[in-house]
Coordinates of all heavy atoms in Angstrom, one line a residue:
L163 N -2.0 7.9 -6.0 CA -1.2 9.0 -5.8 C 0.2 8.7 -5.2 O 1.2 9.3 -5.6 CB -1.9 10.0 -4.8 CG -1.2 11.4 -4.6 CD1 -1.1 12.1 -5.9 CD2 -2.0 12.2 -3.6
G164 N 0.2 7.6 -4.4 CA 1.5 7.2 -3.9 C 2.6 6.9 -4.9 O 3.7 7.4 -4.8
P165 N 2.3 6.1 -5.9 CA 3.3 5.8 -7.0 C 3.7 7.1 -7.7 O 4.9 7.2 -8.1 CB 2.6 4.8 -7.9 CG 1.6 4.1 -7.0 CD 1.1 5.2 -6.1
I166 N 2.8 8.0 -7.9 CA 3.2 9.2 -8.6 C 4.1 10.1 -7.8 O 5.2 10.5 -8.3 CB 1.9 10.0 -8.9 CG1 1.0 9.3 -9.9 CG2 2.2 11.4 -9.5 CD1 -0.3 10.0 -10.2
I167 N 3.8 10.2 -6.5 CA 4.7 11.0 -5.6 C 6.0 10.3 -5.5 O 7.1 11.0 -5.6 CB 4.0 11.1 -4.2 CG1 2.8 12.0 -4.3 CG2 5.0 11.7 -3.3 CD1 2.0 12.1 -3.0
F168 N 6.0 9.0 -5.4 CA 7.3 8.3 -5.3 C 8.2 8.5 -6.6 O 9.4 8.8 -6.5 CB 7.1 6.8 -5.2 CG 8.3 6.0 -5.2 CD1 9.1 5.8 -4.0 CD2 8.8 5.4 -6.4 CE1 10.3 5.1 -4.0 CE2 10.0 4.6 -6.4 CZ 10.7 4.5 -5.2
M169 N 7.6 8.3 -7.8 CA 8.4 8.5 -9.0 C 8.9 9.9 -9.2 O 10.0 10.1 -9.6 CB 7.5 8.1 -10.2 CG 7.2 6.6 -10.3 SD 8.8 5.6 -10.3 CE 8.1 3.9 -10.2
V170 N 8.1 10.9 -8.8 CA 8.5 12.3 -8.9 C 9.7 12.5 -8.0 O 10.7 13.1 -8.4 CB 7.4 13.3 -8.6 CG1 7.9 14.7 -8.4 CG2 6.3 13.2 -9.6
G171 N 9.6 12.0 -6.8 CA 10.6 12.2 -5.8 C 11.9 11.4 -6.2 O 13.0 11.9 -6.0
Y172 N 11.7 10.2 -6.8 CA 12.9 9.4 -7.1 C 13.6 10.0 -8.3 O 14.8 10.1 -8.3 CB 12.4 8.0 -7.5 CG 13.5 7.0 -7.9 CD1 14.3 6.5 -6.9 CD2 13.8 6.8 -9.2 CE1 15.3 5.6 -7.2 CE2 14.8 5.9 -9.6 CZ 15.6 5.3 -8.6 OH 16.6 4.5 -8.9
F173 N 12.9 10.4 -9.4 CA 13.6 10.9 -10.6 C 14.1 12.3 -10.4 O 15.1 12.8 -11.1 CB 12.6 10.9 -11.8 CG 12.4 9.5 -12.3 CD1 11.2 8.9 -12.2 CD2 13.5 8.8 -12.9 CE1 11.0 7.6 -12.7 CE2 13.3 7.5 -13.4 CZ 12.1 6.9 -13.3
F174 N 13.6 13.1 -9.4 CA 14.1 14.4 -9.1 C 15.0 14.4 -7.8 O 15.3 15.5 -7.3 CB 13.0 15.4 -8.9 CG 12.3 15.8 -10.2 CD1 11.2 15.1 -10.7 CD2 12.8 16.8 -11.1 CE1 10.6 15.4 -11.9 CE2 12.3 17.1 -12.3 CZ 11.1 16.4 -12.7
S175 N 15.4 13.2 -7.4 CA 16.4 13.0 -6.3 C 15.9 13.7 -5.0 O 16.7 14.2 -4.3 CB 17.8 13.6 -6.7 OG 18.3 12.9 -7.9
S176 N 14.6 13.6 -4.8 CA 14.1 14.1 -3.5 C 13.7 12.9 -2.7 O 12.6 12.4 -2.8 CB 12.8 15.0 -3.8 OG 12.2 15.4 -2.6
N177 N 14.6 12.5 -1.8 CA 14.3 11.3 -1.0 C 13.1 11.5 -0.1 O 12.4 10.5 0.1 CB 15.6 11.0 -0.2 CG 16.7 10.3 -1.0 OD1 16.4 9.8 -2.1 ND2 17.9 10.3 -0.5
S178 N 13.0 12.6 0.5 CA 11.8 12.8 1.4 C 10.5 12.7 0.6 O 9.6 12.1 1.2 CB 11.9 14.2 2.0 OG 11.9 15.3 1.0
L179 N 10.4 13.2 -0.6 CA 9.2 13.0 -1.4 C 9.0 11.6 -1.8 O 7.9 11.1 -1.8 CB 9.3 13.9 -2.6 CG 8.0 14.1 -3.4 CD1 6.9 14.8 -2.6 CD2 8.3 15.0 -4.7
A180 N 10.1 10.9 -2.2 CA 10.0 9.5 -2.5 C 9.5 8.6 -1.4 O 8.7 7.8 -1.5 CB 11.3 9.0 -3.0
W181 N 10.1 8.9 -0.2 CA 9.6 8.2 1.0 C 8.2 8.4 1.3 O 7.4 7.5 1.8 CB 10.5 8.6 2.2 CG 11.8 7.8 2.3 CD1 13.1 8.3 2.0 CD2 12.0 6.4 2.7 NE1 14.0 7.3 2.2 CE2 13.3 6.1 2.6 CE3 11.1 5.4 3.0 CZ2 13.8 4.9 2.9 CZ3 11.6 4.2 3.3 CH2 12.9 3.9 3.2
A182 N 7.7 9.7 1.1 CA 6.3 10.0 1.4 C 5.4 9.2 0.4 O 4.4 8.7 0.8 CB 6.1 11.5 1.1
G183 N 5.8 9.1 -0.8 CA 5.1 8.3 -1.8 C 5.1 6.8 -1.4 O 4.1 6.1 -1.6
L184 N 6.2 6.3 -1.0 CA 6.3 4.9 -0.6 C 5.4 4.6 0.6 O 4.7 3.6 0.6 CB 7.8 4.6 -0.2 CG 8.0 3.2 0.4 CD1 7.6 2.1 -0.6 CD2 9.5 3.0 0.7
I185 N 5.4 5.5 1.6 CA 4.6 5.3 2.8 C 3.1 5.4 2.4 O 2.3 4.6 2.9 CB 4.9 6.4 3.8 CG1 6.3 6.1 4.4 CG2 3.9 6.3 5.0 CD1 6.8 7.2 5.3
L186 N 2.8 6.3 1.5 CA 1.4 6.5 1.1 C 0.9 5.2 0.3 O -0.2 4.7 0.6 CB 1.2 7.7 0.2 CG -0.2 8.2 -0.1 CD1 -0.9 8.5 1.1 CD2 -0.1 9.4 -1.0
F187 N 1.8 4.7 -0.6 CA 1.4 3.5 -1.3 C 1.4 2.3 -0.4 O 0.7 1.3 -0.6 CB 2.3 3.3 -2.5 CG 2.0 2.0 -3.3 CD1 0.9 2.1 -4.1 CD2 2.7 0.8 -3.1 CE1 0.5 0.9 -4.9 CE2 2.3 -0.3 -3.8 CZ 1.2 -0.2 -4.7
G188 N 2.3 2.4 0.7 CA 2.4 1.3 1.6 C 1.0 1.0 2.3 O 0.8 -0.2 2.8
L189 N 0.2 2.0 2.4 CA -1.1 1.8 2.9 C -1.9 0.8 2.1 O -2.8 0.1 2.7 CB -1.9 3.1 3.0 CG -1.3 4.2 4.0 CD1 -2.1 5.5 3.8 CD2 -1.4 3.7 5.4
T190 N -1.7 0.8 0.8 CA -2.3 -0.2 0.0 C -2.0 -1.6 0.3 O -2.8 -2.5 0.4 CB -2.0 0.1 -1.5 OG1 -2.3 1.4 -1.9 CG2 -2.7 -0.9 -2.4
A191 N -0.7 -1.8 0.6 CA -0.2 -3.2 1.0 C -0.8 -3.5 2.4 O -1.2 -4.7 2.6 CB 1.3 -3.2 1.1
L192 N -0.9 -2.5 3.3 CA -1.4 -2.8 4.6 C -2.9 -3.2 4.5 O -3.4 -4.1 5.1 CB -1.3 -1.6 5.5 CG -1.9 -1.7 6.9 CD1 -1.2 -2.8 7.7 CD2 -1.7 -0.3 7.7
F193 N -3.6 -2.5 3.6 CA -5.0 -2.7 3.3 C -5.2 -4.1 2.8 O -6.1 -4.8 3.2 CB -5.6 -1.7 2.3 CG -7.0 -1.9 2.0 CD1 -8.0 -1.3 2.9 CD2 -7.4 -2.5 0.9 CE1 -9.3 -1.5 2.6 CE2 -8.8 -2.7 0.6 CZ -9.7 -2.2 1.5
A194 N -4.3 -4.6 1.9 CA -4.4 -5.9 1.4 C -4.2 -7.0 2.4 O -4.8 -8.0 2.4 CB -3.4 -6.1 0.2
L195 N -3.3 -6.7 3.3 CA -3.0 -7.6 4.4 C -4.2 -7.7 5.4 O -4.5 -8.8 5.9 CB -1.7 -7.2 5.2 CG -0.4 -7.4 4.5 CD1 0.8 -6.8 5.3 CD2 -0.2 -8.9 4.3
V196 N -4.8 -6.5 5.7 CA -5.9 -6.5 6.6 C -7.1 -7.2 6.0 O -7.9 -7.8 6.7 CB -6.3 -5.0 7.0 CG1 -7.6 -5.0 7.8 CG2 -5.2 -4.4 7.8
T197 N -7.2 -7.1 4.6 CA -8.3 -7.8 3.9 C -8.3 -9.3 4.1 O -9.3 -9.9 4.1 CB -8.2 -7.4 2.4 OG1 -8.5 -6.0 2.3 CG2 -9.3 -8.2 1.6
L198 N -7.1 -9.8 4.2 CA -6.9 -11.3 4.3 C -7.8 -11.9 5.4 O -8.6 -12.8 5.2 CB -5.5 -11.7 4.4 CG -4.7 -11.7 3.1 CD1 -3.2 -12.1 3.4 CD2 -5.3 -12.7 2.1
P199 N -7.6 -11.5 6.7 CA -8.4 -12.1 7.7 C -9.9 -11.8 7.6 O -10.7 -12.6 8.0 CB -7.8 -11.4 9.0 CG -7.1 -10.2 8.6 CD -6.6 -10.5 7.2
V200 N -10.2 -10.6 7.0 CA -11.6 -10.3 6.8 C -12.3 -11.3 5.8 O -13.3 -11.8 6.1 CB -11.8 -8.9 6.3 CG1 -13.2 -8.6 5.9 CG2 -11.3 -7.8 7.3
E201 N -11.6 -11.5 4.7 CA -12.1 -12.4 3.7 C -12.1 -13.9 4.2 O -13.1 -14.7 4.0 CB -11.4 -12.3 2.4 CG -11.5 -10.9 1.8 CD -12.9 -10.6 1.4 OE1 -13.7 -11.5 1.2 OE2 -13.2 -9.4 1.3
L202 N -11.0 -14.3 4.8 CA -10.9 -15.7 5.3 C -11.9 -16.0 6.4 O -12.5 -17.1 6.4 CB -9.5 -16.0 5.8 CG -8.4 -15.9 4.8 CD1 -7.0 -16.2 5.4 CD2 -8.6 -17.0 3.7
N203 N -12.2 -15.0 7.2 CA -13.2 -15.1 8.3 C -14.6 -15.2 7.7 O -15.4 -16.0 8.1 CB -13.1 -14.0 9.3 CG -14.1 -14.1 10.4 OD1 -15.2 -13.5 10.3 ND2 -13.8 -14.8 11.4
A204 N -14.9 -14.4 6.7 CA -16.2 -14.5 6.0 C -16.4 -15.8 5.3 O -17.5 -16.4 5.4 CB -16.3 -13.3 5.0
T205 N -15.3 -16.4 4.8 CA -15.4 -17.7 4.1 C -15.6 -18.8 5.2 O -16.4 -19.7 5.0 CB -14.1 -18.0 3.4 OG1 -14.0 -17.1 2.2 CG2 -14.0 -19.4 2.9
S206 N -15.0 -18.6 6.3 CA -15.1 -19.6 7.4 C -16.6 -19.6 7.9 O -17.2 -20.6 8.2 CB -14.2 -19.3 8.5 OG -14.4 -20.2 9.6
R207 N -17.1 -18.4 8.1 CA -18.5 -18.3 8.5 C -19.5 -18.9 7.5 O -20.4 -19.5 7.9 CB -18.8 -16.8 8.7 CG -18.1 -16.1 9.9 CD -18.4 -14.6 9.9 NE -17.6 -13.9 10.9 CZ -18.1 -13.6 12.1 NH1 -19.3 -13.9 12.4 NH2 -17.3 -12.9 12.9
A208 N -19.2 -18.6 6.2 CA -20.1 -19.2 5.2 C -20.1 -20.7 5.2 O -21.1 -21.3 5.1 CB -19.6 -18.6 3.8
K209 N -18.9 -21.3 5.3 CA -18.8 -22.7 5.2 C -19.5 -23.3 6.5 O -20.2 -24.3 6.4 CB -17.3 -23.2 5.2 CG -16.6 -22.9 3.9 CD -15.1 -23.3 4.1 CE -14.3 -23.1 2.8 NZ -12.9 -23.6 2.9
S210 N -19.2 -22.7 7.6 CA -19.8 -23.3 8.9 C -21.3 -23.2 8.8 O -22.0 -24.2 9.2 CB -19.3 -22.4 10.1 OG -19.9 -22.9 11.3

């Protein structure tokens, strides 16, 4: 939904809507960053 909201806001010159889409999609990037220590820690546990 984030990219859709962003594109609608961007093409219709609604900065507030575009920012909302960007922030919403930004959660995906945050999720990917949080996933890194989770996966690396699981790998470390497995190896040990």
Side-chain angles (χ1 to χ4, degrees):
L163 188 59
I166 295 174
I167 293 176
F168 175 84
M169 290 302 176
V170 170
Y172 182 78
F173 286 112
F174 287 94
S175 299
S176 174
N177 284 342
S178 58
L179 192 61
W181 276 106
L184 175 59
I185 293 171
L186 192 58
F187 182 77
L189 293 175
T190 303
L192 179 59
F193 182 81
L195 287 174
V196 173
T197 294
L198 280 178
V200 174
E201 296 299 334
L202 293 177
N203 179 264
T205 290
S206 177
R207 290 171 186 265
K209 290 180 179 180
S210 177

